[in-house]
Amino acid sequence: MAYAIKRDKTKAVARKIRHQRVRKRVGGTPERPRLVVSRSNRHMVAQVIDDTIGHTLCSASTHEAAARGVEGHKVGAARRVGELVAERAKALGIEKVVFDRGGFKYHGRVAAVAEGAREGGLEF
């Protein structure tokens, strides 16, 4: 039966399966919350989540005015999202996070968010 499921997989289902595989090992605690990245064709969203209580502590996205008009189009905006989420996390006293790539490859815009967060002072 598992063979038929694999053959009928779409991109979205495959990403969900990869995300579940990542989430088996990655979880957010109050001392070290989870920095999760969501990506669409146009936008990036980064959230810092405490999984013990199931709350988003802070977030940033390219929907905000602060991340628009950045050099490098989508990759530059993604780096700015990482910097913004790092600033907001530092304001809450969060220094260390666990990075959750959300089933996406650690490449391009996802990697740019991680680099921006590191530059902003978050430690992975």
Side-chain angles (χ1 to χ4, degrees), residues 58-121:
C58 64
S59 68
S61 78
T62 53
H63 292 283
E64 302 172 16
R68 287 196 204 124
V70 180
E71 203 174 302
H73 195 50
K74 292 194 280 191
V75 176
R79 181 181 292 269
R80 182 69 184 133
V81 167
E83 292 168 359
L84 285 172
V85 80
E87 285 174 23
R88 294 171 185 171
K90 298 276 276 182
L92 294 173
I94 298 168
E95 301 286 330
K96 295 182 177 183
V97 294
V98 192
F99 189 70
D100 179 3
R101 61 189 173 87
F104 300 105
K105 285 184 180 180
Y106 186 85
H107 175 77
R109 290 185 288 152
V110 174
V113 171
E115 290 168 11
R118 281 192 188 102
E119 286 176 9

Side-chain angles (χ1 to χ4, degrees), residues 2-46:
Y3 190 79
I5 293 170
K6 240 183 183 353
R7 191 175 54 205
D8 296 338
K9 245 191 318 192
T10 63
K11 278 185 174 184
V13 171
R15 190 193 69 77
K16 289 241 185 223
I17 290 168
R18 282 193 306 271
H19 193 193
Q20 287 173 347
R21 198 166 46 231
V22 169
R23 287 286 288 123
K24 277 193 273 187
R25 295 174 186 86
V26 175
T29 63
E31 302 83 37
R32 201 170 165 123
R34 179 169 57 105
L35 172 62
V36 70
V37 175
S38 301
R39 180 177 79 85
S40 73
N41 284 338
R42 192 174 206 178
H43 293 287
M44 293 294 293
V45 178

